[in-house]
């Protein structure tokens, strides 16, 4: 499996884990904020939009890790290191110091996870691995390549996959509960009978305005013999389900109960509670949406109470409270439906509603409270957007077939050796090129292979923004092929230096474009890290930056194959553009 194939799903899984973690934190914070606000302004408990907005904020925070990252420095970039496929094991080999190539830098040992967890990601040999180091002239390195051990990073890499499996299982349970409630409601509705227009007129519990409203909006009215509470269900085609025992109530109480249910349709409460139920189902692992959903259900009932009792005398308010208690007792026998039901959800809710009914005028939420709550919710959402870290994926360098890193020796001796397998246990004598960053302070604004608005072809290198005059260093030792104005690419590269490293047909060239000055001349030998020029804006450049390009056998290759940790120095926009265009 290639590193790119491994990186893309790994990034998505870590994004989802980070999204769920941030969702829970945001839910707890919003719940604490609204609890304190409700103590200051008790009228807040009866505001439907407040509790719906709270659920919307929690859901929005969950989506933030999947949005394009902001180009900012308020939060660091968290890099997920994906181990590359392991090389096959080698038989034990003994190598003379004279044949050991130059030191090879080992891959980074830090595994930075999306939640800041760091674990060791070094690929280690078995417990029997042994290295013997002598003088430089006679030093030998004996490597016993036992099977690789499972590192902490390999175990940590399973964490997002494990959470994804847990989430899917929990989501399946939540959906099954909804399906069970739906089947119970359909069974209840299947045993009910539909009331015709003539039957509604003879019912006695509907006044003329209610009959007109039902006919105009095509509300289906059904009656059941089950001891259930009156309820309005359905967002597209509302159905008003009435129990048969409602006919035993006084006419005025019947009219108030029916007016309560029809008010739900006018206020679009089925839509509000439907959205709330969807959020609770998708975010089943977070208790905050359930808290907000319960408050929302209570708020919509209280809002309907206020509308029904507006302008009515105290005697009718008492009758309404009596009907509320009677219907609540009937609702205790009803199935756990997902519908709106007259009478509340539990004894505590009913008690709060009756307490509200005692007051002829319900206190309103002051403007200061409304603005304060809105500002706090916006602050939570904005803070989540600004402080969320940008995720990136980096892969450990792929070890060549039969190659293992050797532990470092003492000072003045070889620090690492690459042991290559061959049919006769011979060792290759060609030394790999040691690469270094071309700038002391790296900042990547454009990756290899991405499309840009200023060019019709993909980026052939890296764009590294820096102030004019910033020293540019040779990324590898080699010979200067060109230094100065370059006619290639219609002169768009401006002042350019090209350095060749290696020999023969395998020569690798490094191109440094848009320079301000050059400090070398063609034919000169340069060492890795030597200053060769300064950053400029020459040629076709949208701003001061270094365009660093690598070529192998005349073809441009991705500099990320030789420069480690580029994602850690990349801007959020560069990571987002690469993820959108290249998928990793």
């Amino acid at each position: 499996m290639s590193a790119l194939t491994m990186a893309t799903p790994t990034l998505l899984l870590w994004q989802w884990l980070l999204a769920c973690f941030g969702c829970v934190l945001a839910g707890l914070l919003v719940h604490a904020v609204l609890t304190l606000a409700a103590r200051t302004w008790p009228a807040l408990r009866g505001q439907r939009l407040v509790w719906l907005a709270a659920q919307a904020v929690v859901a929005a925070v969950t989506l933030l890790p999947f949005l394009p990252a902001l180009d900012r420095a308020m939060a660091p970039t968290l890099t997920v290191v994906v181990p590359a496929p392991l090389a096959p094991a080698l038989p034990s080999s003994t190598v003379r110091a004279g044949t050991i190539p130059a030191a090879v830098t080992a891959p980074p040992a830090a595994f930075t996870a999306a939640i800041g967890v760091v674990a060791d990601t070094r690929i280690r040999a078995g417990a029997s691995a042994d290295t013997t180091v002598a003088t430089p002239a006679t030093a030998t390195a004996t490597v016993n390549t036992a099977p690789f051990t499972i590192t902490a990073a390999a175990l940590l890499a399973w964490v997002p996959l494990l959470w994804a499996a847990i989430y899917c299982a929990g989501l399946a349970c939540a959906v099954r509960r909804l399906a069970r409630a739906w089947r119970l409601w359909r069974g209840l509705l299947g045993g009910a009978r539909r009331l015709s227009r003539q039957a509604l007129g003879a019912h006695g519990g509907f006044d003329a305005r209610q009959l007109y409203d039902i006919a105009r909006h095509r509300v289906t009215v059904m009656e059941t013999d089950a001891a259930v509470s009156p309820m309005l269900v359905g967002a597209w085609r509302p159905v008003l389900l009435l129990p048969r025992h409602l006919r035993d109530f006084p006419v005025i109480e019947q009219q108030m109960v029916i007016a309560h249910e029809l008010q739900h349709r006018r206020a679009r409460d089925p839509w509000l509670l439907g959205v709330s139920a969807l959020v609770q189902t998708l975010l089943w692992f977070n208790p905050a949406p359930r808290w907000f959903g319960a408050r929302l259900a209570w708020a919509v009932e209280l809002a309907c109470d206020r509308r029904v009792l507006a302008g009515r005398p105290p005697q009718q308010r008492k009758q309404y409270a009596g009907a509320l208690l009677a219907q609540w007792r009937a609702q205790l026998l009803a199935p756990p439906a997902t519908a709106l039901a007259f009478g509340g959800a539990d004894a505590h809710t009913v008690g709060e509603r009756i307490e509200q009914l005692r007051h002829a005028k319900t206190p309103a939420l002051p403007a200061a409270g409304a603005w304060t709550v809105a500002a706090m919710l916006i602050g939570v959402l904005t803070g989540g957007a600004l402080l969320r870290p940008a995720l990136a994926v980096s892969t450990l360098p792929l070890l060549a077939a039969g190659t293992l890193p050797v532990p470092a020796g003492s000072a003045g001796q070889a620090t690492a050796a690459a042991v290559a397998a061959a049919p006769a246990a011979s060792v290759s004598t060609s030394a790999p090129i040691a690469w270094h960053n071309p700038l002391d302070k790296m900042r990547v604004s454009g990756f290899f292979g991405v499309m840009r608005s200023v060019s019709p072809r993909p980026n052939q290198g890296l764009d590294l923004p820096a102030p004019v005059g910033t020293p540019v260093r040779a990324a590898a030792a080699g010979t200067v092929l060109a230094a100065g104005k370059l006619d290639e690419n219609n002169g768009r590269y401006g002042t350019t230096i090209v350095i060749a490293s290696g020999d023969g047909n395998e020569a690798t060239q490094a191109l440094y474009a848009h320079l301000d000055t050059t400090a070398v001349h063609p034919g000169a030998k340069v060492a890795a890290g030597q200053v060769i020029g300064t950053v400029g804006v020459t040629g076709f450049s949208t701003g001061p930056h270094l365009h660093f390009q690598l070529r192998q056998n005349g073809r441009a290759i991705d500099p990320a194959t030789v420069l480690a940790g580029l994602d850690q120095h990349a801007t959020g926009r560069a990571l987002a553009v690469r993820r959108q265009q290249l998928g990793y």
Side-chain angles (χ1 to χ4, degrees):
M1 182 181 295
S2 65
L4 176 60
T5 305
M6 297 173 61
T8 302
T10 299
L11 179 61
L12 293 177
L13 290 177
W14 277 108
Q15 281 179 319
W16 178 238
L17 181 61
L18 178 63
C20 295
F21 182 74
C23 169
V24 174
L25 290 182
L28 295 176
L29 180 59
V30 173
H31 181 263
V33 165
L34 291 182
T35 299
L36 294 177
R39 293 178 181 177
T40 305
W41 301 288
L44 184 68
R45 298 188 181 95
Q47 302 298 319
R48 298 175 301 171
L49 293 182
V50 169
W51 305 109
L52 188 64
Q55 289 184 314
V57 168
V58 174
V61 171
T62 310
L63 299 177
L64 287 179
F66 298 94
L67 299 179
L70 300 176
D71 189 3
R72 67 197 188 284
M74 297 185 63
T77 298
L78 298 183
T79 303
V80 179
V81 180
V82 180
L86 299 179
L90 287 176
S92 299
S93 303
T94 301
V95 184
R96 288 286 176 181
T99 62
I100 296 179
V104 180
T105 303
F111 184 95
T112 308
I115 56 177
V117 181
V118 179
D120 185 13
T121 57
R122 289 172 296 183
I123 301 177
R124 300 175 296 177
S128 60
D130 177 64
T131 303
T132 305
V133 181
T135 62
T138 61
T140 61
T142 302
V143 182
N144 184 7
T145 57
F148 290 98
T149 59
I150 300 177
T151 63
L155 295 177
L156 189 62
W158 287 92
V159 171
L161 183 61
L162 178 62
W163 169 244
I166 294 175
Y167 173 79
C168 292
L171 181 62
C173 292
V175 172
R176 186 173 60 182
R177 285 194 297 269
L178 286 181
R180 185 185 305 115
W182 176 260
R183 288 194 299 268
L184 290 174
W185 175 80
R186 294 296 300 179
L188 180 64
L189 201 61
R193 56 186 175 276
R194 182 172 181 174
L195 298 181
S196 62
R197 182 174 302 180
Q198 293 76 11
L200 290 176
H203 186 279
F206 297 87
D207 58 24
R209 181 177 179 181
Q210 293 171 350
L211 292 175
Y212 173 77
D213 194 18
I214 290 173
R216 179 183 178 184
H217 298 284
R218 299 179 180 179
V219 178
T220 301
V221 181
M222 306 189 73
E223 192 174 52
T224 177
D225 294 330
V228 298
S229 173
M231 61 184 68
L232 181 74
V233 292
W236 297 104
R237 293 184 178 180
V239 176
L240 177 59
L241 181 63
L242 301 176
R244 180 65 177 81
H245 67 259
L246 185 65
R247 295 174 180 264
D248 299 332
F249 284 39
V251 173
I252 186 62
E253 292 186 11
Q254 294 185 52
Q255 292 177 354
M256 287 190 293
V257 169
I258 295 173
H260 176 98
E261 298 302 328
L262 293 179
Q263 179 59 35
H264 282 308
R265 188 204 59 78
R266 298 190 191 96
R268 302 293 190 271
D269 289 338
W271 287 97
L272 297 182
L273 292 188
V275 172
S276 176
L278 178 62
V279 173
Q280 295 177 54
T281 301
L282 296 177
L283 305 181
W284 60 266
F285 56 90
N286 192 348
R290 293 194 294 274
W291 297 336
F292 303 147
R295 281 298 178 182
L296 176 62
W298 182 83
V300 298
E301 296 295 338
L302 184 60
C304 290
D305 290 344
R306 289 197 300 263
R307 294 297 300 270
V308 171
L309 297 178
R312 293 184 182 269
Q315 180 61 29
Q316 291 187 3
R317 300 178 69 90
K318 293 181 180 180
Q319 290 178 307
Y320 187 80
L324 175 66
L325 289 175
Q327 292 300 334
W328 173 64
R329 287 193 295 268
Q331 187 182 350
L332 294 179
L333 303 177
T338 58
L340 298 172
F342 177 85
D346 51 36
H348 178 70
T349 302
V350 173
E352 289 189 28
R353 288 180 62 188
I354 292 179
E355 179 64 24
Q356 294 290 334
L357 295 179
R358 294 177 56 188
H359 305 284
K361 185 177 181 181
T362 304
L365 180 65
W371 283 107
T372 301
V373 171
M376 289 188 295
L377 293 179
I378 294 176
V380 172
L381 185 59
T382 304
L386 295 179
L387 298 179
R388 66 184 178 92
L391 282 181
V393 170
S394 179
T395 57
L396 293 177
L398 179 63
L399 299 177
T403 304
L404 290 176
V406 180
S410 59
Q413 297 171 341
T415 59
V419 184
S426 60
V427 180
S428 174
T429 59
S430 60
I433 302 174
W435 293 94
H436 303 268
N437 290 333
L439 297 179
D440 293 334
K441 186 176 181 181
M442 296 284 287
R443 183 168 177 263
V444 182
S445 63
F447 281 99
F448 177 87
V450 300
M451 297 297 299
R452 302 162 297 173
S453 59
V454 297
S455 177
R457 64 174 183 169
N459 194 355
Q460 299 296 301
L462 292 177
D463 292 329
L464 308 174
V468 174
T470 301
V472 176
R473 301 183 182 274
T479 303
V480 179
L481 300 182
K485 299 294 183 180
L486 197 66
D487 294 334
E488 182 182 342
N489 197 19
N490 297 324
R492 293 165 66 95
Y493 287 144
T495 302
T496 306
I497 293 176
V498 180
I499 298 176
S501 301
D503 55 2
N505 295 329
E506 299 297 328
T508 299
Q509 298 180 4
L511 180 145
Y512 310 79
H514 308 305
L515 300 179
D516 184 53
T517 61
T518 61
V520 294
H521 56 83
K525 301 290 184 179
V526 297
Q530 177 181 334
V531 175
I532 59 175
T534 57
V535 173
V537 288
T538 58
F540 184 79
S541 176
T542 57
H545 76 285
L546 170 67
H547 178 77
F548 179 71
Q549 185 178 133
L550 283 183
R551 299 173 179 177
Q552 197 166 53
N553 299 327
R555 295 182 57 185
I557 63 174
D558 190 354
T561 58
V562 298
L563 300 181
L566 291 179
D567 286 8
Q568 300 179 14
H569 305 290
T571 64
R573 176 177 176 80
L575 292 170
V577 171
R578 186 186 65 179
R579 181 166 56 248
Q580 180 182 9
Q581 295 186 12
L582 306 181
Y584 68 97

